[in-house]
Each structure stands twice: as C-alpha cells, then as structure tokens.
C-alpha cells in the first residue's frame, strides 16, 4: 500500500498522465465540436485509426513529422465530410453512419498499410517527435519534468483547448455553431445556413480526431498497428458527456482518465496477487462511473442528432 502511495509522488507518473491524455484531448475536442453543431460522430474510432496510419505512413515515406500531422488531419477531414454528407443533407441515421465510417476507415487503414508497407518480423519504425528540453523551464523542480519536457503535439493539444473554448464562447462563429446544435431553425432565420455550419463543424472535428490518432504513431510510439487506438474514440464520446460539452471540462476529463490509466500501469509492478486485467479495466470502469454520475445533470444540445430540414418544425 505504501509503495502504491509513493507512486503519486513520482514526477514520471504525472508526465505520463499528460502524455496519455494528449490523443484523448484531440479526440474529445473533435467530438465536442461535432456535437455542439448537432451531429453525433461515432466514426471517431475509425477516424483516429486512419489518422494514426496516414500520419505514420507520411513520415515513413519521407515526409517530416509536421507534414504527417497535416496529412492525418486531411484524411480525418475526408471521412468527416463523408459522415457529414450522409447525416446532414441526407438526414440518415447518425448512429449507423458513424459506425459505418468506423468500420470502413479502420479496415481501409489496415488494407492500405499492408498494401504499401513491407512488414517483416519486426514492424517498420520512424523517428518520432522527441520531448522538448526548454531552457530554464525544464529545470524547474517538479513542474519542469511534468509540463516542460513534453512533445510539441502535447502543447498543440493544450492550445487547442484554449482556442476552441474561446471560439465557442467569444466569437460569432462559435455562437452560430452552438445555436445550430440548439435550434438550427433560429440560425436559418438569421440568414445563416445550418447545413453548411454542421458540415464544416464535422469536417473540422474529424480533423482533430485524426490528429489525436496520429499522435500515437508519431509521438507516443514509432510504428503502426491496427489495434493501437484501443477504444480511445469511444472514451472520447463518453468524455464529451462528462464535460457537459465544454472544452475546459473536457480537458479535465481527459486528464482524469489518463491518470487512472497511468496509475494502473504502475500499480501492476507493485501490487501482487491481483490479476492485471482488473487493473487494466479500472480506467474504463471509472469512466463509466463518472459518466453515470454526471450524465443526468448534463445539458445536452437540444438539436443533437436531429436532422435539419428547412420549413419543418
């Protein structure tokens, strides 16, 4: 028990929390943006997988790491466009379309990987993003190793939280997105087009999701394998509800899940006699518990999953 408590004083644990939270931050921001506009995007798991593959493949074939992130974002945007066209102008089921996108994107990512990459006994690798060593700041006690020795995509994720929070709360664009998710007919009455707003939000949100997947292959690891997303997309969908569709609370939710994940990995080395599978499922069980406690008080966007048709009420 004492050894388990000692883990909490280890700066490497808290540095790992921020690192593990990074793909979740991108994913939950992307899902939040889609849902704020009224569209549920269950394609997130497949979009993250495709982002992981295309980002890695771009670097593997000679591109730089930032180009890999851009290509991943573009691949996510394309699948976001597919989901948006099926669900917004056509008004098809957002659940069915999202699950279809997940299956299609996941299978296509693996197919393209096996088609293009020659896989031997060991998976091919790339040179990933390296943790920064920021002068002075990285030498600060406690805070330095935790915050100022991360990779650049982690800082990009944190900046994305601030940018999205500002856009949604303080700009006319953010107001239009929020109102489209609440009452698209009111938006239409103001001379704006809710259909295009929803399509744009889904494309941008899907691009963020794909960047979260690309983080796994270009920063957290240095190779691609099909199962590497490991349900993070579904966790992001739950975190949006936990966050009550607010970017700041979404960051807290991602960090909370990452803490349980990082902590259970270290507990496996100090606790004996407990099946590791129980510890492995702990972050997901805690996510379900948090979701149950928060979901009843969450203010769901009124027009979430409701197709917009001009002239109908």
């Amino acid at each position: 028990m004492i050894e388990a408590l000692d883990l909490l004083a280890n700066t490497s644990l808290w540095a790992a929390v921020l690192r593990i939270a990074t793909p979740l931050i991108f994913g939950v921001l992307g899902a939040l943006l889609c849902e704020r506009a009224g569209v549920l995007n269950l394609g997130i798991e497949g979009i993250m997988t495709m982002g992981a593959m295309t980002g890695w493949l771009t670097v593997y074939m000679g591109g730089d790491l930032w180009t890999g992130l851009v290509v991943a974002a573009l691949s996510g945007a394309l699948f976001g466009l597919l989901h948006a066209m099926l669900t917004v102008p056509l008004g098809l089921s957002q659940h069915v379309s999202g699950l279809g996108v997940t299956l299609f994107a996941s299978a296509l990512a693996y197919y393209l990987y096996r088609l293009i990459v020659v896989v031997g006994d060991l998976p091919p690798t790339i040179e990933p993003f390296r943790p920064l060593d920021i002068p002075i700041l990285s030498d600060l006690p406690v805070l330095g190793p935790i915050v100022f020795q991360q990779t650049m995509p982690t800082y990009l994720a944190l900046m994305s939280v601030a940018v999205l929070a500002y856009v949604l709360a303080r700009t006319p664009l953010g107001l239009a997105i929020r109102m489209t998710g609440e009452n698209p007919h009111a938006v239409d009455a103001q001379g704006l087009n809710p259909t295009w707003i929803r399509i744009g939000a889904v494309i941008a949100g899907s691009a963020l999701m794909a960047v979260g997947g690309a983080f796994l292959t270009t920063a957290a690891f240095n190779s691609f394998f099909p199962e590497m997303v490991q349900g993070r997309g579904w966790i992001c969908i739950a975190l949006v509800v936990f966050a009550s569709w607010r970017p700041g609370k979404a960051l807290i939710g991602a960090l909370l899940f990452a803490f349980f994940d990082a902590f259970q990995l270290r507990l496996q080395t100090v606790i004996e006699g407990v099946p590791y599978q129980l510890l492995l499922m702990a972050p997901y069980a805690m996510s379900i518990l948090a979701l149950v406690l928060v979901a009843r008080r969450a203010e769901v966007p009124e027009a979430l999953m409701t197709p917009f048709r001009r002239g109908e009420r």
Side-chain angles (χ1 to χ4, degrees), residues 84-102:
M85 295 307 295
L86 292 173
T87 57
V88 181
L90 297 180
L92 301 182
S93 168
Q94 295 179 11
H95 295 93
V96 175
S97 174
L99 293 175
V101 168
T102 280

Side-chain angles (χ1 to χ4, degrees), residues 203-220:
I203 290 173
S206 299
L208 283 171
M209 297 172 186
V211 173
F215 173 85
L216 297 173
T217 50
T218 61

